[in-house]
Each structure stands twice: as C-alpha cells, then as structure tokens.
Amino acid sequence: MSSVFQREDMYETVVVDREQDVVLTTGQLYGLQVRREVDRSFKPVIPFAPHLFGSGKTRFVKSYLELVKSMGERALIGPENISDCEKDRRRSFLDKLHEAVLLYVDMRHLEPTDPKEKSLKWAVHYLLFKSACLKSGQGQPDPDEFFKVFKLRTDVLFKKIREVLNMRTDQFLLVVFDEVGVLDTRGQYFDLEVNDGRVFPYNDFFGIIRGLCKEDNVFFIVVGKSEGLYIRNYAISVSRVELTFIPLSPLEKHSIIEHLEKSSSFMFTGSPKVSQILCHQHFSTNELAELLLELTGGVPGLLVKAINYLLHCKLSEDHLLLSKESFWMIMNDSIATNYCVDPLLPRLSSLSETRHRLLKMLTLLALYHIRFELDELVHLSSTFDVFLFDLVTDMCFYRRLIVDENHQERYEVLIPKLLIGYIEQSVKNDRLEWLLLQTLKSQPVEFFYESKCRVFEGLVATMFYLHFCYHPTDSLMFSTLGQLSSVWDEMNVKFSSESTAYYMKSIHYTRSTADIERTTFGIDDWKEIVKEMLEFEKIYIPFEPTSHSPDILFKLHGRTSGQNLIVGIACKGRWSFNGIRWNEIVDEACKFLQPVHDQVVTVHPTLHCMLVIMSTKLSTSVATDLNHSSHCYSFGDRVAGDFRIPLNCELIILSESDVENFIGKDILSSLRSAFKSTDNPHSRSIGISTVQEMVLSLSKYI
C-alpha cells in the first residue's frame, strides 16, 4: 500500500446496530451457565464468529459488555412468553454480567513455549495467564515458573487469573479468543490429536475450551477468520462443543447514519461528530450514508477505513466540501482504495485456479440476490466439497443474514464495490465475469434493500446483451424476432463495444413534489426516458420489480434507414400451473405501448415501439389462441378484443417453447421448482448445480 496515508485512528468509532448479535451472544452465555448448573457432563455452548476482515468481530467483542449494559433487560429478556421465575433468573444473570471482567486474548501471540513446547493446551493456558498479566499492567510471566505452579490445572489457572485481575470468585470472567484463524498455520508446531488419519487443530483447541468451561463463572467467545462451518460441524461431533454463529451482518443505511452522528474525531478542534465534519448544508448525512453503503456494502471494517480516509482528506484540505461527485472522485483514487482493502490484497491476489472458476457463480448469487442455506455444499471436484458459507469467506466476500417472515435464516453473498476493481484485474480475460462484475458495480444503492430474487429478469437481460455483443447473427431468438417483425429485421443488432447492463429509475403512477429529489420516473415521462435515459447499445433494468414498465428496456437503430426501435421485455415468470392470461398481457401493453406511442412515437414518426412478452408459461386460452406459436400483433390489430395496437407499435408474445429454447430447459425446470413456493428462492431450492449451469449457459455466448 502507498505510504501516503496509513492511519487507522482518525476518529473514535461507536459500535451500532448490534442488538441482534448481543441478544444471541447473551443467550448462549446464559445457556452455558444453565447447562453447567444442571449437569457437570454438559456440552458447552460458545458464541463463534468466523468472519472475514472488516466484519466487526474485534470491535464487537471488545465492546460487548458495554452493549449489554446499554440494552438492559432486552439483552436476555425478549417478547417470548417465559415464567416470572425464569425472568428473575435471567435478571440475576444480567446483573452479574454487568459486573463481568473481559479478558481479551489475541491468538496471534500463541506460540510453543518452554518447558512443554509441543503442548497446545500448555500454550493456550500460558497465553491466557499472560494476557491477564498484561491487562493488569504486570510483566510477562516466566514460562518455567508458571508451569511449576499451574501444571495445567484449570482451577489453579483461573484462581491466579482472578488474583491478577483483582476479581471476586463469584464474579463473571468473559474470555474472548480473537484471531483463532492462526491455528490454520500454527497448528503444525504442536503435537495434536489424530482423527480419521488427519490432524485438525480446532478439534484440540475447542477440546481445551471444553475443559475450561467446567470452571464456575467463566464464559467464552471465539472469533477469527477461518472455515467456520466446517469447524463448527467438526467441533460438535468430535470436541463435544456447540458453536453458535454470531451473524455480524453488514450495516444498513440507518445504522451508518447513526455511526456518523455518534462517532467523534479528536483530530479536529472540539472533537466534533463525523457527520458535522464531512457534511454540510448541501450534502446531508443521509447522502453520505448512502454513498458509503454503496461503496462498502455496509461492511464495518471497510466503512471505518473509508471514513478515516475522508477525514484525512478534510484535515489536509479544510475548504473541501463533499458532494456525490467529489466523494467518488476521492474514493476511486488508487491510494484510497488500496488503503481500504489493504488487508484483503494478499488473499485477492493469490486465489487458486479452482477458486477463480467459482467467481462467476458467487457473482451470480450476489447479482440476483439468490439466497443460500447454512449447510449448502459446493462440489469443487469429484473428491472435494466445501461449504458455500466458508467459500464466501475464502473468496474474500461477505455474507448478509436474512431472516424471513417464518424466522427461517438464509444468507446472501455480498461483494462490496471497493473489491470489484481488484477482482477485475485478476479476471481481465474472462469477459463474462467482467460483465457480471460491471453489472454488479452499476447497481444503485437501492439494491441493498431489495430482497426480491430477480434471477429470471437478470438472466434474460444478460443473455440478450451477450447475443447483441457476440453472436447476433447466430441467435435463434433474434432470428425468431426478425421473422415475426419486419421492423426488428431492419435493426442493427450488433453492439459495437462491450458495456454493462445499466439500472435506471423505475416508472410509477405517483410523482414526487417539486422540492423533493425524484427517485422514479412518472408514467408521463416517457419522452424524457427515451431521449435522455435510453442510449443505443445499452440494456437497462428498472431497479424496482414493481415498476410500471417492462422489466428490460433498450433502444436499437436501423442498419440503413433512419428508423429507431424502443424495445421493452416483460419477463413474466409463471412457476405454478397458472400461466399468464390475456388480461395480464393487455395490462402490460397498456402501461408501455400506449404511453410511449402517445408521448413519443406521435412526435417522432421514425421511432417504433415493441413490447415482447416473455413468459415461462402461458394460460391454456392464450396458448390455444396462438396455436402454441410465437405471434406478432401490429398496428390496428386487437389483442383479446380489448386493446388496439397503436401506430408504429408491435406486441410480440413468445411461445413457451421459444422461451425454453432461449433460457434452457433444465434451468427453467429448476427455477420453476424454486419459485413455486416463494419469490425469494435460496440456492438449496434452485440448486448450486443450476447456478453453475447458468454460468455454463451464459459462457457459451462469449
């Protein structure tokens, strides 16, 4: 990283939006206490956060006790129906937790130590005591003397720790093991237990913690970058320790606003709030939060680094007034991006060839908001599988926990825009991955709150783009459209250069008031949309699926004549037995063909408008009326006896077989299976094999 800027302490950060994590962690600590009181042969429960850099692991555990105090009873007593006796037990536990002492243990300092160099248990016990001594201001203890006194006895260990920390015997001690991922490399220095012919250091480590949990009033939290799900499953079966994941999901906009308004910078006179330093009359905290969310994905570590850099710029240039334009100019500079993602660069630059092959699959998951379950497996080879949960971490990406209305937990892949530039450098020869990353990069901030899976619309848009760029003359779909429409047949369907899919404001009935920035187009804005929004050789997707417009829009120009064609594609996913009906087709035509004709086509006689209905299933009446074939309605034709096609407009209804040939039979079958029960399918429903098949299908057009 450039040496121009390396500071990481430009302001005092305030931890926000961790109530869910506090409740989960406190519940697990309470569960350990209950199990310990009931049965001495209990299986310990330990909160576990195996996340990538920047997820907020260290900040959370270091501030956990403060967060518990600030939440009060809500940290352990929720809305669930429990007895008054149980409430009293929980209040008593919380009272003691409020007096607890936190002992932070950095596992990066774990090393073989005389006199038992090869004993991991000895090394962990010694590191625990050394951490306590350093916390109290004492010097580092002598290993030989320590071993003579303690002899690996846990009761003596915690008695001495309490003496060093000046703690009562009944006072809670909360031990936090951080950076546990060092065991991936340092396990080789110790004599470890062999299970099934292999050595697994985490089994030994959690076995040691299981022994420590038998001591009264001692609790543990373990965090660090590692293959968390694999470790959890192994620990349950072998180490007899129950690990519960702390989600530590990325922050949303309201939480970023709270962070900006509560955090202060001591680098400026009077230690003002960060929002007061970076925002002003013409650039609100809300605007800054949106930009930071779009840049960092709400990942706390990336967010803090981005704010640090902005504060550095403000300190260096006092008259700097941030705006949307200056924000991106600053943060797109290589010095800024290098600083923000520096901890990830070694991993990003050393991905194996196998991992590179999985990039497109993970990008598809992120791009289309496809959810996955905790135990979803990815087959890397005929003999090797990996959990998707762990693969996301291994690939330097992040996970977002989604809890649906039925309290079912799913995850989404999050790829912050800060990382995309570095990924692009490693896949510069993979045009499909480049396209998917660029499309992801162009997604507006609204997509961070959009949970609806739009894989069907996304697939159609991507496939149309690839046909335009690479194989317009070989496209069976383009051939079908040309046979149905003479206007399409006259268009130039070869894009001259590569670009991404673009997201545009959606079209709605309502309009914003004059003094509020417009976030959508009104239904009477088609002249502005066609003239100023839609450019040739670009595909647009309105960023709200409920938009009063087709799902995909693009503009084509004639090969020889001055005619231009505005095309809208209505992607009608029908995943049950009920296909699209005539009244729905008429509704699509009324909301697109009619207003475009009235507002644009009548003024520009060389402009034509086409609506393509691409449905996975047609109703029996529609399919029968069309003789199970694709059909084009032109000027003057009546659709279902209700809608008359305006001048210079066309409506094309594609048959189910033409849609199936375009998308792929197997892919449609999997999507149909996934969507028939929910509009938010996760990868277990779709099937990871189907997502990989999508990649192969899209790759054929490069």
Side-chain angles (χ1 to χ4, degrees):
M1 188 189 79
S2 171
S3 59
V4 175
F5 178 67
Q6 297 187 30
R7 292 199 61 156
E8 299 187 11
D9 58 349
M10 293 291 291
Y11 74 110
E12 295 177 352
T13 61
V14 173
V15 178
V16 297
D17 194 26
R18 289 299 181 218
E19 287 81 4
Q20 177 186 2
D21 303 298
V22 170
V23 169
L24 184 146
T25 303
T26 308
Q28 297 305 306
L29 299 181
Y30 178 69
L32 172 60
Q33 180 77 336
V34 171
R35 293 188 184 189
R36 191 158 44 198
E37 292 174 350
V38 172
D39 181 9
R40 300 304 293 182
S41 61
F42 65 97
K43 177 185 289 187
V45 288
I46 299 173
F48 182 38
H51 302 292
L52 189 60
F53 157 81
S55 57
K57 305 181 298 294
T58 301
R59 293 181 191 275
F60 172 73
V61 294
K62 285 187 173 181
S63 59
Y64 167 73
L65 292 178
E66 296 177 12
L67 295 172
V68 169
K69 292 178 183 178
S70 66
M71 285 187 65
E73 290 189 354
R74 292 183 298 116
L76 190 58
I77 303 176
E80 68 272 16
N81 187 21
I82 58 176
S83 67
D84 291 339
C85 180
E86 176 62 19
K87 286 183 180 179
D88 290 339
R89 289 185 62 186
R90 296 190 180 196
R91 289 191 182 101
S92 175
F93 180 84
L94 281 175
D95 289 341
K96 297 191 69 174
L97 192 59
H98 292 165
E99 297 179 348
V101 173
L102 186 144
L103 178 59
Y104 178 80
V105 181
D106 190 339
M107 290 287 285
R108 288 175 296 183
H109 301 304
L110 179 74
E111 56 186 4
T113 306
D114 290 336
K116 297 180 70 66
E117 300 92 340
K118 294 295 184 178
S119 170
L120 178 62
K121 184 176 181 180
W122 160 250
V124 171
H125 281 208
Y126 177 73
L127 182 59
L128 266 170
F129 187 66
K130 183 175 76 171
S131 300
C133 291
L134 294 177
K135 177 181 176 69
S136 66
Q138 300 182 20
Q140 182 169 313
D142 178 77
D144 291 310
E145 185 176 339
F146 175 79
F147 180 70
K148 291 177 183 177
V149 175
F150 290 75
K151 297 187 182 297
L152 295 178
R153 288 179 53 184
T154 56
D155 57 338
V156 178
L157 171 65
F158 284 113
K159 180 181 179 181
K160 290 295 184 181
I161 287 177
R162 290 180 181 278
E163 290 176 2
V164 168
L165 298 179
N166 194 26
M167 294 177 61
R168 304 188 311 272
T169 55
D170 64 339
Q171 192 173 1
F172 284 179
L173 173 64
L174 177 59
V175 178
V176 172
F177 285 104
D178 197 0
E179 300 292 348
V180 71
V182 300
L183 290 172
D184 290 334
T185 55
R186 298 192 186 177
Q188 61 182 312
Y189 301 123
F190 302 98
D191 288 331
L192 303 175
E193 183 180 347
V194 178
N195 288 287
D196 298 327
R198 60 171 297 187
V199 170
F200 193 62
Y202 294 96
N203 176 39
D204 296 72
F205 175 71
F206 283 108
I208 294 168
I209 292 184
R210 184 184 69 236
L212 298 176
C213 285
K214 294 179 180 179
E215 298 300 320
D216 291 334
N217 300 322
V218 181
F219 304 86
F220 298 90
I221 302 175
V222 178
V223 299
K225 182 172 75 268
S226 55
E227 293 182 330
L229 186 55
Y230 182 70
I231 293 170
R232 189 203 70 159
N233 292 347
Y234 209 85
I236 290 175
S237 62
V238 179
S239 305
R240 296 194 70 250
V241 172
E242 186 176 317
L243 303 179
T244 301
F245 290 130
I246 308 173
L248 296 178
S249 289
L251 304 178
E252 295 187 2
K253 187 176 76 171
H254 68 88
S255 302
I256 297 176
I257 292 175
E258 182 183 359
H259 179 78
L260 293 169
E261 292 178 341
K262 289 185 175 180
S263 301
S264 303
S265 177
F266 51 85
M267 301 295 292
F268 294 80
T269 303
S271 296
K273 304 301 183 184
V274 172
S275 58
Q276 296 173 327
I277 300 169
L278 298 178
C279 302
H280 50 84
Q281 181 180 358
H282 304 293
F283 185 66
S284 67
T285 306
N286 183 75
E287 290 175 286
L288 177 57
E290 282 197 353
L291 293 172
L292 288 167
L293 175 61
E294 190 164 347
L295 177 73
T296 67
V299 175
L302 299 180
L303 175 71
V304 168
K305 278 183 164 285
I307 294 173
N308 263 319
Y309 193 81
L310 290 172
L311 290 172
H312 160 73
C313 293
K314 181 66 176 178
L315 191 64
S316 304
E317 192 176 343
D318 184 57
H319 65 276
L320 172 68
L321 290 179
L322 276 181
S323 64
K324 182 175 182 178
E325 293 73 22
S326 63
F327 174 91
W328 287 114
M329 184 172 65
I330 291 171
M331 298 311 301
N332 284 333
D333 184 87
S334 60
I335 296 176
T337 51
N338 281 347
Y339 164 71
C340 290
V341 304
D342 182 62
L344 302 178
L345 290 183
R347 293 172 67 86
L348 284 171
S349 60
S350 61
L351 291 178
S352 66
E353 183 178 344
T354 301
R355 295 296 194 267
H356 271 300
R357 290 200 298 268
L358 297 170
L359 273 175
K360 286 188 283 289
M361 181 193 73
L362 292 175
T363 307
L364 279 176
L365 292 172
L367 185 59
Y368 299 148
H369 294 273
I370 300 174
R371 299 177 181 180
F372 65 91
E373 290 185 333
L374 180 65
D375 58 350
E376 190 70 47
L377 278 171
V378 178
H379 302 289
L380 297 185
S381 67
S382 59
T383 59
F384 183 51
D385 297 335
V386 63
F387 288 110
L388 180 55
F389 185 93
D390 292 337
L391 180 63
V392 172
T393 301
D394 191 46
M395 298 287 282
C396 296
F397 299 153
Y398 296 87
R399 296 174 296 267
R400 185 194 303 278
L401 175 65
I402 306 293
V403 182
D404 63 21
E405 61 277 5
N406 298 317
H407 305 291
Q408 293 293 313
E409 295 186 351
R410 306 280 191 269
Y411 294 88
E412 288 183 359
V413 178
L414 173 64
I415 306 178
K417 292 186 179 182
L418 264 172
L419 300 182
I420 291 179
Y422 292 94
I423 302 171
E424 288 173 342
Q425 296 175 22
S426 63
V427 298
K428 57 185 177 182
N429 296 323
D430 189 331
R431 304 316 298 167
L432 176 59
E433 176 63 22
W434 179 87
L435 167 67
L436 295 175
L437 287 171
Q438 288 299 310
T439 304
L440 185 61
K441 192 175 183 179
S442 72
Q443 281 189 352
V445 69
E446 286 84 353
F447 264 70
F448 287 97
Y449 308 107
E450 175 55 64
S451 61
K452 181 178 176 63
C453 177
R454 299 177 70 183
V455 63
F456 180 55
E457 298 95 319
L459 270 176
V460 172
T462 304
M463 295 182 84
F464 261 90
Y465 173 84
L466 294 176
H467 282 240
F468 281 128
C469 283
Y470 298 104
H471 300 285
T473 58
D474 300 332
S475 171
L476 182 59
M477 174 57 67
F478 287 7
S479 176
T480 298
L481 293 173
Q483 293 171 17
L484 294 170
S485 168
S486 59
V487 177
W488 177 279
D489 202 38
E490 295 174 3
M491 292 297 112
N492 179 15
V493 293
K494 169 64 177 175
F495 282 6
S496 59
S497 62
E498 293 178 318
S499 65
T500 179
Y502 290 82
Y503 292 86
M504 58 177 284
K505 293 187 293 184
S506 299
I507 297 92
H508 288 287
Y509 279 115
T510 57
R511 299 194 60 163
S512 303
T513 58
D515 59 337
I516 298 177
E517 182 181 355
R518 292 281 300 280
T519 57
T520 65
F521 289 113
I523 59 172
D524 55 353
D525 289 339
W526 281 104
K527 183 177 180 181
E528 177 187 354
I529 296 168
V530 172
K531 181 180 179 181
E532 301 179 9
M533 186 71 211
L534 301 182
E535 298 182 25
F536 290 114
E537 301 192 356
K538 291 183 179 179
I539 289 180
Y540 295 86
I541 304 173
F543 58 59
E544 290 185 30
T546 56
S547 173
H548 197 72
S549 69
D551 300 288
I552 300 166
L553 290 164
F554 53 86
K555 183 164 64 174
L556 301 176
H557 56 78
R559 289 193 299 271
T560 56
S561 66
Q563 290 186 337
N564 295 324
L565 178 64
I566 304 299
V567 181
I569 301 177
C571 300
K572 312 302 291 184
R574 290 296 183 268
W575 312 107
S576 61
F577 294 108
N578 300 318
I580 187 172
R581 300 183 300 273
W582 278 117
N583 65 306
E584 295 175 275
I585 294 174
V586 169
D587 286 345
E588 291 293 327
C590 289
K591 76 180 186 182
F592 178 61
L593 291 180
Q594 196 64 59
V596 174
H597 169 268
D598 296 344
Q599 299 172 38
V600 184
V601 175
T602 54
V603 183
H604 301 281
T606 60
L607 191 64
H608 286 67
C609 183
M610 173 187 290
L611 175 64
V612 179
I613 303 292
M614 182 173 285
S615 178
T616 56
K617 187 172 183 59
L618 304 175
S619 67
T620 302
S621 61
V622 173
T624 302
D625 291 346
L626 299 180
N627 196 25
H628 300 279
S629 301
S630 297
H631 187 79
C632 178
Y633 292 87
S634 302
F635 170 58
D637 293 341
R638 286 195 173 274
V639 183
D642 295 326
F643 180 78
R644 185 173 180 270
I645 302 295
L647 179 66
N648 289 345
C649 295
E650 291 180 327
L651 169 66
I652 291 179
I653 306 174
L654 294 173
S655 68
E656 293 178 22
S657 59
D658 283 338
V659 174
E660 183 178 281
N661 289 333
F662 183 60
I663 301 296
K665 181 177 181 179
D666 292 339
I667 293 176
L668 279 183
S669 177
S670 297
L671 292 179
R672 186 173 292 111
S673 175
F675 276 100
K676 66 183 179 183
S677 59
T678 175
D679 66 352
N680 284 315
H682 48 89
S683 62
R684 170 59 59 81
S685 297
I686 292 179
I688 285 295
S689 60
T690 301
V691 179
Q692 292 175 316
E693 187 176 336
M694 292 177 193
V695 172
L696 293 175
S697 179
L698 294 172
S699 299
K700 291 188 302 184
Y701 299 107
I702 298 293

